Amino acid sequence: MVQEIIASGCCKLGKNEYLRASSKNCRTHVGLSRISTSDAHGENSPYFAGWKVYDQDPYDSVKNPSGVIQMGLAENQVSFDLLEEWLCGHFKDSNWQSYMSNFRENALFQDYHGLQVFRQVMASFMEEVRGGRVKFDPERIVLTAGATAANELLIFSIADPGEALLVPTPYYPGFDRDIKWRTGAKIVPVRCKSSNHFEITREALECAYREAGKMNINVKGILITNPSNPLGITISKSVLEEILDFAIEKNIHLISDEIYSGSVFHPSEFTSVAEILSSRGYRDSERVHIVYSLSKDLGLPGFRVGVLCSYNNRVVETCRKMSSFSLVSSQTQGLLAAMLSDSKFRKSYIETNRKRLRERHELFVDGLKAAGIDCLKGNAGLFCWINLSPLLKKPTLEGEIGLWNSLVYEGKLNVSPGSSCHCSEPGWFRVCFANMSHQTLKVALGRIQSFVEKQKRTRSSSRSSSCF
């Protein structure tokens, strides 16, 4: 059972080897650091536990057709062929030749500022993803090994251990690791509700701020994801304005994680916080920081390319120094600089990727509707926020985990329960649709429909039995 895996603390080492993090198996009691003994990483949450179940029994249409389908991983594989085509077609072009001719220089490059040409290209790519409505200064860009490192560096720069960030719920489960684990910072949840489609309100922000005060916790900032993970929706311009005004009034920071900004189905529906700053003449901009990555929009999580763009000079300076602990390989920078310098490819990729994600989303939502499942109306991202509360035996956290357990072991579908995203309303789940082939998605939808029908029959049978 999934609960047993969570409790065991198993971490896969090899094909059939496991490290059990249980003190009763330790023969010695040598003292360890706070980080080593902390549970703040969040690895024991259902979000990560489901991955372990999948790793033990992964679906393969030929080798293991009854295996678990991974729908808990937000990867973008729908446009990977475009990257492969570019690599094959441009292997000998001028950009690639230039990259190869500078092999020695790149191989010996260790400056934590990163390659200047790559920072310039990243600034241009970020501008294009946002429809050319904003400008980014390459000198304000700090390169990191993924968005995880970018968020952590920001926390180290703006908060001391014990201080906190306000984070609207539901939020990406990895934030518990990124924000809290090594920094010692805290998260104070901003409770958002399904009754208004989980929109962030001034009232919810004020409530969370007051709660922090009651606990004598000093709030240093707000962290938002736009578009939202796990909701798959963008934050409206008016709400962004309100969030920024709140940050200014409380004299705190605002971190806008925009790693899905290029995965908005219709670009006009996305507003970056950078646009708000520009419209205000960059007043109070020193409190605003933007995080970006190539893991989602370009589908390259393994390349570990993250970007931190801060409007605070001291934060840029501090994060750049600290980035020496999470550098991006100069070879990776060189290769991607060559690829993203190709303006024709860049434009085509962004447009095609948006179109494919939109079509994949529509296909998935139609399949959910056919199974009788409602979901939050989304306009971005690689996932849907679906409502399975009608299938809960009890409208509780235990009821949600029980249903998730059935989904994983009976339905053979690894999805993320809302509780792992700190959603306060039981029955919501994040389900990813872009990390698999079209054929595998059809198999997954078939399993979802069969699972729902079985659950309804079981509940109907239980009600009938209770009448006698």
Side-chain angles (χ1 to χ4, degrees):
M1 304 293 279
V2 173
Q3 291 95 326
E4 295 170 349
I5 290 179
I6 295 173
S8 71
C10 293
C11 178
K12 195 166 186 180
L13 292 177
K15 189 170 183 179
N16 295 305
E17 300 173 64
Y18 291 87
L19 172 65
R20 296 185 178 275
S22 173
S23 58
K24 65 183 180 181
N25 290 335
C26 297
R27 297 183 179 180
T28 60
H29 297 279
V30 180
L32 298 173
S33 69
R34 173 186 60 82
I35 290 177
S36 296
T37 56
S38 168
D39 291 328
H41 181 279
E43 188 180 24
N44 291 333
S45 80
Y47 176 72
F48 291 109
W51 289 10
K52 296 172 186 177
V53 177
Y54 166 77
D55 286 342
Q56 294 174 44
D57 185 26
Y59 170 82
D60 184 282
S61 60
V62 177
K63 298 179 181 178
N64 190 21
S66 63
V68 176
I69 295 178
Q70 174 63 288
M71 305 190 82
L73 181 61
E75 275 187 359
N76 180 7
Q77 296 183 22
V78 301
S79 300
F80 205 80
D81 61 304
L82 302 180
L83 306 178
E84 293 174 320
E85 287 175 12
W86 186 91
L87 286 172
C88 291
H90 294 76
F91 189 78
K92 294 183 179 180
D93 75 358
S94 58
N95 282 332
W96 184 262
Q97 288 295 330
S98 174
Y99 163 66
M100 290 304 295
S101 67
N102 293 327
F103 175 77
R104 179 181 177 84
E105 179 184 346
N106 288 339
L108 298 176
F109 184 84
Q110 300 182 65
D111 188 347
Y112 50 61
H113 286 72
L115 295 174
Q116 183 176 9
V117 63
F118 184 56
R119 285 189 287 117
Q120 291 171 339
V121 165
M122 279 304 304
S124 296
F125 185 68
M126 290 169 66
E127 291 167 3
E128 189 163 355
V129 158
R130 288 157 181 78
R133 298 186 296 272
V134 294
K135 291 290 184 182
F136 290 103
D137 182 356
E139 296 305 311
R140 292 198 169 278
I141 283 181
V142 179
L143 300 175
T144 64
T148 292
N151 278 311
E152 188 184 57
L153 289 186
L154 275 173
I155 305 308
F156 272 124
S157 299
I158 69 174
D160 289 317
E163 295 183 320
L165 266 73
L166 303 181
V167 184
T169 64
Y171 63 77
Y172 166 54
F175 281 158
D176 290 320
R177 168 200 62 205
D178 304 353
I179 307 307
K180 299 170 14 180
W181 186 39
R182 299 200 301 184
T183 66
K186 298 177 182 293
I187 288 178
V188 176
V190 179
R191 298 295 180 188
C192 301
K193 303 175 182 178
S194 63
S195 57
N196 71 336
H197 311 292
F198 296 98
E199 184 175 273
I200 304 168
T201 64
R202 177 66 182 242
E203 180 184 2
L205 289 169
E206 290 284 5
C207 182
Y209 193 85
R210 287 196 300 270
E211 285 300 310
K214 291 177 183 178
M215 296 184 286
N216 294 317
I217 297 175
N218 187 30
V219 174
K220 294 301 291 287
I222 308 167
L223 170 61
I224 60 174
T225 57
N226 183 30
S228 168
N229 176 9
L231 300 178
I233 58 175
T234 54
I235 301 176
S236 69
K237 183 178 180 180
S238 61
V239 172
L240 271 178
E241 296 263 15
E242 198 165 34
I243 294 171
L244 180 56
D245 288 340
F246 178 85
I248 293 170
E249 179 184 313
K250 304 299 183 184
N251 193 28
I252 58 179
H253 294 266
L254 171 59
I255 300 174
S256 182
D257 187 323
E258 301 182 358
I259 65 173
Y260 292 98
S261 51
S263 300
V264 181
F265 309 146
H266 301 282
S268 61
E269 296 180 0
F270 174 72
T271 300
S272 170
V273 71
E275 294 179 55
I276 306 297
L277 293 179
S278 178
S279 68
R280 296 183 177 193
Y282 295 96
R283 293 191 310 275
D284 294 299
S285 61
E286 72 279 354
R287 71 184 69 253
V288 178
H289 323 280
I290 296 173
V291 170
Y292 188 61
S293 164
L294 296 183
S295 296
K296 308 304 180 182
D297 292 346
L298 208 59
L300 296 173
F303 274 37
R304 309 309 304 148
V305 177
V307 169
L308 182 166
C309 182
S310 174
Y311 294 89
N312 186 302
N313 293 337
R314 192 61 181 270
V315 169
V316 171
E317 179 184 343
T318 302
C319 288
R320 186 161 284 155
K321 291 175 182 176
M322 295 186 72
S323 70
S324 60
F325 294 99
S326 59
L327 297 175
V328 181
S329 160
S330 58
Q331 301 305 300
T332 298
Q333 293 182 56
L335 170 60
L336 292 177
M339 176 184 288
L340 296 179
S341 293
D342 185 338
S343 58
K344 183 178 179 181
F345 164 77
R346 209 166 57 205
K347 183 176 186 296
S348 175
Y349 177 89
I350 292 172
E351 292 177 353
T352 304
N353 184 58
R354 288 189 197 277
K355 179 176 181 291
R356 290 181 179 181
L357 285 175
R358 181 173 65 250
E359 292 172 347
R360 179 66 69 92
H361 177 266
E362 291 171 353
L363 171 67
F364 189 56
V365 170
D366 287 345
L368 292 175
K369 288 180 179 178
I373 298 174
D374 292 327
C375 62
L376 188 69
K377 185 177 180 181
N379 65 346
L382 316 175
F383 32 73
C384 284
W385 186 242
I386 72 173
N387 183 10
L388 296 182
S389 60
L391 301 182
L392 298 180
K393 292 182 179 179
K394 294 182 179 180
T396 61
L397 170 62
E398 291 75 18
E400 177 181 283
I401 296 300
L403 181 62
W404 170 68
N405 191 63
S406 297
L407 270 165
V408 173
Y409 277 95
E410 297 173 24
K412 291 298 186 77
L413 300 161
N414 177 43
V415 300
S416 304
S419 55
S420 70
C421 303
H422 300 271
C423 182
S424 56
E425 301 178 25
W428 290 90
F429 291 77
R430 189 195 76 168
V431 186
C432 301
F433 56 76
N435 63 322
M436 63 192 75
S437 68
H438 185 274
Q439 184 58 39
T440 299
L441 183 63
K442 290 176 66 175
V443 174
L445 284 169
R447 289 186 182 185
I448 290 172
Q449 187 162 359
S450 296
F451 178 83
V452 171
E453 290 173 353
K454 181 180 179 181
Q455 290 291 312
K456 288 180 178 179
R457 286 197 304 270
T458 300
R459 293 192 65 181
S460 177
S461 176
S462 297
R463 284 195 296 268
S464 298
S465 299
S466 65
C467 294
F468 294 94

Short mmCIF file of all heavy atoms in Angstrom, two decimals, residues 3 11 38 58 64 78 85-86 97 114 118 125 171 192 199 205 210 217 275 327 329 333 336 345 381 390 434 446 456:
data_model
loop_
_atom_site.label_atom_id
_atom_site.label_comp_id
_atom_site.label_asym_id
_atom_site.label_seq_id
_atom_site.Cartn_x
_atom_site.Cartn_y
_atom_site.Cartn_z
N GLN A 3 0.51 3.98 1.69
CA GLN A 3 0.79 4.46 3.03
C GLN A 3 1.98 3.75 3.65
O GLN A 3 2.77 4.35 4.37
CB GLN A 3 -0.43 4.25 3.95
CG GLN A 3 -1.60 5.17 3.58
CD GLN A 3 -2.58 4.47 2.66
OE1 GLN A 3 -2.16 3.66 1.84
NE2 GLN A 3 -3.85 4.79 2.79
N CYS A 11 13.99 4.58 -0.25
CA CYS A 11 14.55 5.36 -1.34
C CYS A 11 15.31 4.41 -2.24
O CYS A 11 16.22 3.73 -1.79
CB CYS A 11 15.49 6.44 -0.79
SG CYS A 11 16.28 7.42 -2.07
N SER A 38 15.89 16.36 9.24
CA SER A 38 14.64 17.08 9.03
C SER A 38 13.73 16.36 8.05
O SER A 38 14.19 15.69 7.12
CB SER A 38 14.95 18.49 8.50
OG SER A 38 13.78 19.12 8.04
N PRO A 58 6.60 0.45 -13.92
CA PRO A 58 6.31 1.45 -14.95
C PRO A 58 5.59 0.86 -16.16
O PRO A 58 5.92 -0.22 -16.64
CB PRO A 58 7.69 1.97 -15.34
CG PRO A 58 8.61 0.81 -15.08
CD PRO A 58 8.05 0.14 -13.85
N ASN A 64 5.32 -3.94 -20.48
CA ASN A 64 4.56 -3.98 -19.22
C ASN A 64 3.24 -3.21 -19.39
O ASN A 64 3.04 -2.16 -18.78
CB ASN A 64 5.38 -3.38 -18.07
CG ASN A 64 4.74 -3.61 -16.72
OD1 ASN A 64 3.91 -4.51 -16.54
ND2 ASN A 64 5.11 -2.79 -15.74
N VAL A 78 5.43 16.87 -25.63
CA VAL A 78 4.62 16.97 -26.85
C VAL A 78 5.37 17.62 -28.01
O VAL A 78 4.98 17.47 -29.17
CB VAL A 78 3.30 17.74 -26.59
CG1 VAL A 78 2.47 17.06 -25.52
CG2 VAL A 78 3.57 19.19 -26.23
N GLU A 85 14.63 17.63 -34.32
CA GLU A 85 14.76 18.04 -35.72
C GLU A 85 15.76 19.18 -35.88
O GLU A 85 16.56 19.19 -36.83
CB GLU A 85 13.38 18.48 -36.26
CG GLU A 85 12.41 17.33 -36.51
CD GLU A 85 11.03 17.83 -36.91
OE1 GLU A 85 10.91 19.04 -37.20
OE2 GLU A 85 10.09 17.03 -36.92
N TRP A 86 15.73 20.11 -34.97
CA TRP A 86 16.68 21.23 -35.05
C TRP A 86 18.11 20.72 -34.90
O TRP A 86 19.00 21.12 -35.66
CB TRP A 86 16.39 22.27 -33.97
CG TRP A 86 17.25 23.50 -34.13
CD1 TRP A 86 16.96 24.63 -34.83
CD2 TRP A 86 18.58 23.68 -33.60
NE1 TRP A 86 18.01 25.51 -34.78
CE2 TRP A 86 19.02 24.95 -34.03
CE3 TRP A 86 19.42 22.91 -32.82
CZ2 TRP A 86 20.27 25.46 -33.69
CZ3 TRP A 86 20.68 23.40 -32.49
CH2 TRP A 86 21.09 24.67 -32.92
N GLN A 97 29.01 25.25 -35.61
CA GLN A 97 30.45 25.29 -35.87
C GLN A 97 31.13 26.28 -34.92
O GLN A 97 32.23 26.03 -34.42
CB GLN A 97 30.71 25.70 -37.33
CG GLN A 97 30.36 24.62 -38.34
CD GLN A 97 31.25 23.40 -38.21
OE1 GLN A 97 32.40 23.50 -37.81
NE2 GLN A 97 30.71 22.23 -38.52
N GLY A 114 27.95 33.12 -15.90
CA GLY A 114 27.43 32.41 -17.06
C GLY A 114 27.91 33.05 -18.34
O GLY A 114 28.41 34.18 -18.36
N PHE A 118 24.69 33.49 -23.68
CA PHE A 118 23.54 32.70 -23.25
C PHE A 118 22.57 33.54 -22.42
O PHE A 118 21.35 33.42 -22.56
CB PHE A 118 23.98 31.47 -22.46
CG PHE A 118 22.84 30.56 -22.08
CD1 PHE A 118 22.01 30.05 -23.06
CD2 PHE A 118 22.59 30.23 -20.75
CE1 PHE A 118 20.95 29.21 -22.71
CE2 PHE A 118 21.55 29.41 -20.41
CZ PHE A 118 20.72 28.90 -21.39
N PHE A 125 14.56 35.15 -25.29
CA PHE A 125 13.57 34.07 -25.29
C PHE A 125 12.44 34.37 -24.31
O PHE A 125 11.26 34.18 -24.62
CB PHE A 125 14.25 32.74 -24.94
CG PHE A 125 13.33 31.55 -25.04
CD1 PHE A 125 12.86 31.11 -26.26
CD2 PHE A 125 12.95 30.86 -23.89
CE1 PHE A 125 12.01 30.01 -26.35
CE2 PHE A 125 12.11 29.76 -23.96
CZ PHE A 125 11.63 29.33 -25.20
N TYR A 171 -0.53 24.64 -3.82
CA TYR A 171 0.75 24.99 -4.44
C TYR A 171 1.59 23.76 -4.74
O TYR A 171 1.34 22.67 -4.22
CB TYR A 171 1.53 25.99 -3.57
CG TYR A 171 1.96 25.52 -2.19
CD1 TYR A 171 3.05 24.66 -1.99
CD2 TYR A 171 1.33 26.01 -1.03
CE1 TYR A 171 3.47 24.28 -0.73
CE2 TYR A 171 1.74 25.64 0.24
CZ TYR A 171 2.82 24.77 0.37
OH TYR A 171 3.24 24.40 1.64
N CYS A 192 -6.95 29.43 -0.52
CA CYS A 192 -7.83 29.80 -1.63
C CYS A 192 -8.90 28.72 -1.78
O CYS A 192 -8.65 27.55 -1.46
CB CYS A 192 -7.03 29.97 -2.92
SG CYS A 192 -5.73 31.23 -2.80
N GLU A 199 -9.11 31.57 -6.81
CA GLU A 199 -8.48 32.86 -7.08
C GLU A 199 -7.89 33.45 -5.79
O GLU A 199 -8.47 33.33 -4.71
CB GLU A 199 -9.51 33.83 -7.66
CG GLU A 199 -8.93 35.17 -8.08
CD GLU A 199 -9.95 36.06 -8.76
OE1 GLU A 199 -10.09 35.94 -10.00
OE2 GLU A 199 -10.61 36.86 -8.06
N LEU A 205 -5.07 36.91 1.59
CA LEU A 205 -3.72 37.38 1.90
C LEU A 205 -3.66 37.99 3.29
O LEU A 205 -2.75 37.72 4.08
CB LEU A 205 -3.27 38.39 0.85
CG LEU A 205 -2.95 37.86 -0.54
CD1 LEU A 205 -2.80 39.01 -1.54
CD2 LEU A 205 -1.69 37.00 -0.53
N ARG A 210 -2.20 37.82 9.05
CA ARG A 210 -2.59 37.90 10.47
C ARG A 210 -2.23 36.62 11.20
O ARG A 210 -1.76 36.65 12.35
CB ARG A 210 -4.08 38.17 10.59
CG ARG A 210 -4.50 39.58 10.22
CD ARG A 210 -5.91 39.87 10.74
NE ARG A 210 -6.89 38.95 10.17
CZ ARG A 210 -7.57 39.18 9.04
NH1 ARG A 210 -7.33 40.30 8.35
NH2 ARG A 210 -8.45 38.31 8.60
N ILE A 217 5.56 34.99 13.58
CA ILE A 217 6.39 34.69 12.41
C ILE A 217 6.50 35.94 11.56
O ILE A 217 5.47 36.53 11.18
CB ILE A 217 5.81 33.52 11.59
CG1 ILE A 217 5.79 32.24 12.42
CG2 ILE A 217 6.61 33.32 10.31
CD1 ILE A 217 5.12 31.07 11.71
N GLU A 275 5.25 43.04 -16.66
CA GLU A 275 4.40 44.00 -17.37
C GLU A 275 3.80 45.02 -16.41
O GLU A 275 3.67 46.20 -16.74
CB GLU A 275 3.29 43.26 -18.11
CG GLU A 275 3.77 42.38 -19.25
CD GLU A 275 2.62 41.66 -19.92
OE1 GLU A 275 1.67 42.34 -20.38
OE2 GLU A 275 2.65 40.42 -20.00
N LEU A 327 25.76 25.74 -10.64
CA LEU A 327 26.04 26.28 -11.97
C LEU A 327 25.43 25.44 -13.09
O LEU A 327 25.22 24.23 -12.93
CB LEU A 327 27.56 26.36 -12.19
CG LEU A 327 28.34 27.30 -11.27
CD1 LEU A 327 29.83 27.17 -11.54
CD2 LEU A 327 27.89 28.75 -11.48
N SER A 329 26.17 23.90 -16.70
CA SER A 329 27.34 23.53 -17.49
C SER A 329 27.55 24.49 -18.66
O SER A 329 26.60 24.85 -19.36
CB SER A 329 27.16 22.10 -18.03
OG SER A 329 28.00 21.86 -19.13
N GLN A 333 25.11 25.61 -21.82
CA GLN A 333 24.86 27.00 -22.21
C GLN A 333 25.21 27.24 -23.68
O GLN A 333 24.46 27.88 -24.42
CB GLN A 333 25.69 27.95 -21.34
CG GLN A 333 25.29 27.97 -19.87
CD GLN A 333 26.12 28.97 -19.08
OE1 GLN A 333 26.18 30.14 -19.42
NE2 GLN A 333 26.78 28.49 -18.03
N LEU A 336 22.57 25.49 -26.04
CA LEU A 336 21.27 26.16 -26.05
C LEU A 336 21.36 27.58 -26.60
O LEU A 336 20.39 28.09 -27.18
CB LEU A 336 20.69 26.17 -24.64
CG LEU A 336 20.28 24.78 -24.11
CD1 LEU A 336 19.79 24.88 -22.67
CD2 LEU A 336 19.20 24.16 -25.00
N PHE A 345 13.51 29.30 -35.63
CA PHE A 345 13.19 28.11 -34.84
C PHE A 345 12.42 28.51 -33.59
O PHE A 345 11.42 27.89 -33.21
CB PHE A 345 14.45 27.35 -34.45
CG PHE A 345 14.23 26.34 -33.34
CD1 PHE A 345 13.63 25.13 -33.59
CD2 PHE A 345 14.60 26.65 -32.02
CE1 PHE A 345 13.39 24.22 -32.56
CE2 PHE A 345 14.37 25.75 -31.00
CZ PHE A 345 13.77 24.53 -31.27
N GLY A 381 -0.34 25.25 -18.83
CA GLY A 381 0.32 24.18 -18.10
C GLY A 381 0.26 22.82 -18.76
O GLY A 381 -0.20 22.67 -19.90
N PRO A 390 -16.86 13.55 -5.63
CA PRO A 390 -18.04 12.68 -5.60
C PRO A 390 -17.70 11.20 -5.38
O PRO A 390 -18.60 10.42 -5.02
CB PRO A 390 -18.65 12.89 -7.00
CG PRO A 390 -18.21 14.25 -7.40
CD PRO A 390 -16.81 14.35 -6.88
N ALA A 434 0.94 15.78 -20.49
CA ALA A 434 1.90 16.10 -21.55
C ALA A 434 3.19 15.29 -21.49
O ALA A 434 4.07 15.48 -22.32
CB ALA A 434 2.25 17.59 -21.50
N GLY A 446 -8.87 5.62 -20.80
CA GLY A 446 -9.66 4.40 -20.69
C GLY A 446 -9.64 3.86 -19.27
O GLY A 446 -10.67 3.42 -18.74
N LYS A 456 -18.33 3.90 -8.90
CA LYS A 456 -19.77 4.21 -8.81
C LYS A 456 -20.57 2.94 -8.56
O LYS A 456 -21.54 2.94 -7.78
CB LYS A 456 -20.23 4.89 -10.10
CG LYS A 456 -19.73 6.32 -10.24
CD LYS A 456 -20.22 6.95 -11.53
CE LYS A 456 -19.77 8.40 -11.65
NZ LYS A 456 -20.22 9.03 -12.92
#
